[in-house]
Amino acid sequence: AVKAQGRGGFRFNTEELNQQAHRGLLIESRLRRAVQTGAFHLVYQPQWCMASGRLTGAEALLRWTDPVLGGIPPDTFIPIAEACGLMPALGDWVLAQACATLRQWRAAGWHDAEMAVNVSPRQLADEAFFRRLTGHLERHAIPPAALELEVTESTLMDSGPQPERIVGAVKALGMRVVVDDFGVGHSSLALLKRLAMDGLKIDRSFVRDLVDDEDDRQICAAILAMAKHLRLRVVAEGVETEAHWRLLRDMGCDRWQGYWRDGQPQPADAVLARALAH
Ligand code: C2E
Ligand code: MG
Ligand code: MG
Ligand code: MG
């Protein structure tokens, strides 16, 4: 019976693996088409200053809706795009689009709007990346300090032999560079020191249980204390309740982002309307 069960379990797993592989291939082929037809759009998640309540800007987040597969989350399709070499082109489209939106916001009266954009390892390792980046900023007359690049630790580690040089080059252009999903990788502390980062985003896995989990509270407090000493700006992600917001504010967190107060990723117009309403 055990053997039969074992074999049954094995067969089931194989089938599941096959299905996953098949879905991966399907996503890849639809993705190739989507890059050609431009089936992507960006949504923008507001970021607020904790102390003043002011809307400071937004993070641009990529969305893909395929006519056959429906909506696919970026956590699913970005690694596939990365693996099959589509990410430099797609990532460049994201940057261009985010810069165009930022220009519109500023021209419409939100003069100090800031934009954060996620950058993938392949993009950072791409020689032409900086040239295109500079081109987007110039074309849209955006002050570089208004643009912030979000990189994860693995992004930096996969970007080639010299992350220092890459971050140095971005900063030399006047842009800010922050570590995304801080705390979930391997080498956060060494990286902050070595690469002279401008800030970090506390991963939402530390924010989620902040109210009930004393360990998570200690972790957030420690990150914030260290960030203050290193003069890093800290954004908390995944703020979903007033209790999250209050705890993080009292710990000295600079900015927040999350579903609380209708802070979900949303169309550019909606973010602009909220900024101008104040
Ligand atoms: P991320 O950069 O850490 O983005 C934050 C993610 O958390 C977003 O998921 C956002 O919708 C979600 N989120 C924000 N607030 C809350 C909250 O209060 N509660 C919960 N449960 N979730 C919240 P999303 O949009 O699905 O993006 C997932 C990841 O995909 C991003 O994580 C980022 O790493 C990546 N990504 C998205 N757009 C791009 C892009 O244009 N380029 C690259 N390279 N990566 C991207
Ligand atoms: Mg991010
Ligand atoms: Mg993040
Ligand atoms: Mg995260």
Side-chain angles (χ1 to χ4, degrees):
V2 170
K3 197 175 162 194
Q5 208 176 34
R7 274 178 42 213
F10 179 70
R11 213 165 24 236
F12 173 74
N13 284 337
T14 307
E15 226 163 70
E16 197 171 296
L17 281 175
N18 280 339
Q19 269 171 21
Q20 275 171 16
H22 179 251
R23 185 163 171 83
L25 285 175
L26 185 59
I27 291 177
E28 180 180 331
S29 78
R30 300 299 307 176
L31 207 48
R32 285 186 190 282
R33 174 179 308 219
V35 169
Q36 277 155 15
T37 58
F40 300 94
H41 72 280
L42 294 184
V43 286
Y44 301 89
Q45 184 167 34
Q47 293 185 347
W48 282 273
C49 171
M50 282 270 186
S52 68
R54 192 175 62 87
L55 195 55
T56 57
E59 176 180 6
L61 293 161
L62 186 56
R63 294 291 178 263
W64 172 35
T65 308
D66 182 78
V68 175
L69 300 171
I72 311 276
D75 283 331
T76 302
F77 74 79
I78 288 176
I80 296 175
E82 187 80 39
C84 60
L86 294 170
M87 209 52 213
L90 189 50
D92 191 54
W93 179 84
V94 170
L95 269 167
Q97 193 64 36
C99 286
T101 297
L102 185 55
R103 192 241 303 258
Q104 283 163 14
W105 284 351
R106 291 181 153 241
W110 187 9
H111 301 297
D112 56 358
E114 294 171 20
M115 186 72 79
V117 180
N118 297 283
V119 180
S120 77
R122 287 280 183 96
Q123 265 179 293
L124 273 190
D126 182 0
E127 283 284 321
F129 172 73
F130 295 100
R131 221 177 34 244
R132 287 196 300 263
L133 193 51
T134 317
H136 296 317
L137 291 174
E138 281 170 1
R139 188 159 45 256
H140 295 293
I142 291 170
L147 195 68
E148 184 167 273
L149 299 186
E150 295 191 6
V151 294
T152 59
E153 293 160 43
S154 56
T155 301
L156 283 167
M157 288 306 123
D158 295 348
S159 62
Q162 284 174 305
E164 285 94 342
R165 232 193 42 207
I166 291 168
V167 173
V170 174
K171 294 190 58 158
L173 292 176
M175 275 175 290
R176 301 167 41 83
V177 188
V178 305
V179 182
D180 202 353
D181 302 338
F182 185 79
V184 295
H186 305 290
S187 52
S188 327
L189 298 175
L191 260 181
L192 286 176
K193 188 176 161 207
R194 241 176 70 205
L195 303 180
M197 305 297 283
D198 295 295
L200 60 86
K201 300 184 76 174
I202 300 180
D203 190 68
R204 72 165 183 270
S205 60
F206 300 116
V207 173
R208 192 177 45 224
D209 303 321
L210 212 47
V211 175
D212 301 313
D213 192 326
E214 173 66 17
D215 291 346
D216 284 342
R217 271 207 297 282
Q218 292 297 339
I219 290 171
C220 286
I223 292 175
L224 283 157
M226 180 206 61
K228 182 158 272 173
H229 284 298
L230 297 175
R231 282 181 291 280
L232 299 168
R233 190 160 77 195
V234 180
V235 180
E237 36 172 61
V239 173
E240 294 187 348
T241 65
E242 182 173 0
H244 288 158
W245 173 82
R246 193 174 297 283
L247 281 166
L248 287 159
R249 185 203 56 183
D250 292 348
M251 291 181 203
C253 187
D254 300 294
R255 294 185 178 186
W256 71 274
Q257 180 180 344
Y259 294 170
W260 190 49
R261 298 216 153 155
D262 298 321
Q264 289 87 352
Q266 50 203 273
D269 291 350
V271 181
L272 175 65
R274 292 176 78 164
L276 296 182
H278 284 280

